Amino acid sequence: MSDFAVQLDLQHASGTVELAVILPTYNERANIIEAIRRTQTVLGNLPHEIIVVDDDSPDGTADVVRRLARQDSRIRLIHRIGRRGLSSAVIEGMMASTAPMLAVMDADMQHDETALPRMIEKMQREHLDLVIGTRNAHGGSMGNFARIRVRISQLSAQLSRSVCQCEVSDPMSGFFLVRDDFFRSAAPRLQTGGFKILLDLLASSDRKPRIGEIGYRFRTRMHGQSKLSFHVGVEYLFLIVNKLTGGHLCPRFTLFALTGASGLLVHFAVLAAMYLGLHASFFDSQAAAAFAAMSTNFAVNNALQQSRLRGRRAWTGYLRFLMLCGLGAIFSVSYANRLHLTHTSWALAALAGIAIGSVWNYAMTQIFTWETPSTRRAVSLSS
């Protein structure tokens, strides 16, 4: 090998990125500059890159990061259009890096970036697959959070251990360091629709990982709003169920089934009240029950969606929902009425009609009602 080739190899080795810090963002414009500055400060001369994965934040977070990236090659931006979700953002950021170590942090500065050097040192010294920044070990705490939120976090952690292959103090942590090879071995089994990527990673591993923990104090958010919501809680429960069933239970269909169950109860309540109580015709009773069930399904489904429709958009979405599901309702009512005319019991006829309409309703509500136009364009382009 020539002296010039050796020199090139040495330059390449010296410029190799050792660590990638993944920062998933949504409406973090007020925090992102300081979060990046603090992270770079504690990493010092360690060859690293910071990958910000932004879900098309309306507040212009991506524009801020783009300007920073033009001035500093260590900063990278993945600007996602038509996709949203914490876990999928983290996975996409990790897959975009060639660094042997991958760190995940929130961009709202609630995670203590000064723990990163200790996490790196522990991983390298003890040859670990994963180092978790924990609020529940020595040196860690939940900070100034309300007692009820602390209790919820503790209960969630206890539930999480039912799907983990190892004992960790804080499986709900969003602050961790993982070796690239360990992450990639589990990546094909990860559930991209969830919010608790660490729990998913632990539950999806095909071997027991070598794990270490570093305690840190959870900070109070300085700017913006917390992403913790009812929808996040639902996604977490779906993740637990998905892993307990070996990944065979589709979260999206489970959501549809749960909302459908609420509609089913309303349907039979209205049907029984009109047909048995008011002695209306079965056809009229079934039609009123179908309308009430559709309205209930929309309300419940909308409450569970990450991209929840509000205000005028909620009313517009409700009307679209009724129109799209109307054909399914016609099939449902007509089929049930036909069965009832053949002396099938009213309950069995209604149940059979609901089953017929459910197939249509599932497809229509998932494709058209809550997905954005950009999402639909992305789907159509990829198909």
Side-chain angles (χ1 to χ4, degrees), residues 116-376:
L116 270 176
R118 290 182 288 135
M119 295 166 71
I120 295 169
E121 181 184 3
K122 188 175 184 67
M123 172 173 282
Q124 294 178 331
R125 184 179 67 251
E126 301 178 19
H127 305 287
L128 302 174
D129 298 309
L130 188 67
V131 178
I132 302 171
T134 176
R135 300 160 291 188
N136 302 326
H138 176 71
S141 77
M142 284 292 292
N144 298 321
F145 279 96
R147 183 175 299 178
I148 182 63
R149 180 164 175 179
V150 174
R151 185 55 181 161
I152 291 174
S153 177
Q154 292 171 343
L155 290 174
S156 299
Q158 292 174 6
L159 182 60
S160 300
R161 294 187 184 98
S162 63
V163 299
C164 291
Q165 301 184 45
C166 47
E167 184 67 26
V168 295
S169 66
D170 194 1
M172 302 289 289
S173 178
F175 182 25
F176 61 91
L177 178 70
V178 61
R179 287 197 182 275
D180 174 71
D181 56 353
F182 177 76
F183 160 72
R184 292 183 186 278
S185 68
R189 293 177 294 278
L190 295 175
Q191 180 183 308
T192 59
F195 284 82
K196 295 302 179 182
I197 180 64
L198 174 60
L199 174 61
D200 197 2
L201 188 61
L202 292 172
S204 300
S205 172
D206 57 1
R207 63 178 174 84
K208 188 175 182 179
R210 301 182 297 271
I211 299 176
E213 295 186 328
I214 294 291
Y216 80 98
R217 180 180 173 82
F218 199 57
R219 298 170 180 153
T220 302
R221 169 185 278 270
M222 295 180 62
H223 305 287
Q225 296 181 341
S226 172
K227 306 303 187 296
L228 185 64
S229 65
F230 180 66
H231 175 72
V232 172
V234 171
E235 287 281 1
Y236 164 71
L237 293 176
F238 283 167
L239 173 61
I240 295 292
V241 173
N242 179 265
K243 295 306 177 182
L244 287 176
T245 58
H248 297 298
L249 195 60
C250 172
R252 175 167 286 193
F253 184 77
T254 303
L255 176 63
F256 177 79
L258 290 176
T259 55
S262 64
L264 185 66
L265 293 175
V266 171
H267 187 107
F268 273 97
V270 173
L271 178 61
M274 291 191 64
Y275 183 64
L276 300 179
L278 301 178
H279 305 292
S281 70
F282 181 78
F283 183 87
D284 291 342
S285 302
Q286 181 75 351
F291 176 78
M294 284 191 295
S295 300
T296 301
N297 283 346
F298 175 83
V300 174
N301 215 332
N302 190 45
L304 296 177
Q305 294 294 328
Q306 183 178 3
S307 302
R308 186 183 306 175
L309 303 177
R310 293 179 173 85
R312 184 175 180 180
R313 291 183 65 239
W315 284 106
T316 302
Y318 174 59
L319 293 176
R320 290 180 62 204
F321 184 90
L322 292 180
M323 288 188 292
L324 291 169
C325 294
L327 184 57
I330 292 173
F331 290 152
S332 173
V333 173
S334 299
Y335 185 70
N337 191 60
R338 183 181 302 177
L339 285 179
H340 190 254
L341 292 175
T342 62
H343 305 292
T344 302
S345 71
W346 67 272
L348 288 178
L351 194 59
I354 291 171
I356 292 294
S358 294
V359 177
W360 173 269
N361 292 347
Y362 175 66
M364 292 301 99
T365 55
Q366 295 303 319
I367 294 175
F368 293 107
T369 307
W370 279 277
E371 292 188 359
T372 62
S374 59
T375 304
R376 293 199 296 272

Side-chain angles (χ1 to χ4, degrees), residues 41 65 68 79 82 129 166 188 208 239 288 377:
T41 298
V65 178
L68 294 175
H79 188 169
D129 298 309
C166 47
K208 188 175 182 179
L239 173 61
R377 286 197 297 271

Side-chain angles (χ1 to χ4, degrees), residues 63-122:
D63 295 330
V64 174
V65 178
R66 191 174 288 108
R67 288 196 296 269
L68 294 175
R70 288 169 180 163
Q71 302 168 12
D72 189 339
S73 60
R74 296 174 300 176
I75 301 173
R76 296 172 55 193
L77 170 67
I78 298 177
H79 188 169
R80 308 202 304 172
I81 303 294
R83 305 192 302 285
R84 187 181 297 180
L86 179 62
S87 289
S88 62
V90 170
I91 293 169
E92 197 163 330
M94 287 180 163
M95 297 297 289
S97 178
T98 58
M101 293 184 293
L102 305 166
V104 179
M105 294 174 57
D106 286 348
D108 56 13
M109 294 180 288
Q110 290 185 296
H111 294 152
D112 184 2
E113 70 287 338
T114 63
L116 270 176
R118 290 182 288 135
M119 295 166 71
I120 295 169
E121 181 184 3
K122 188 175 184 67

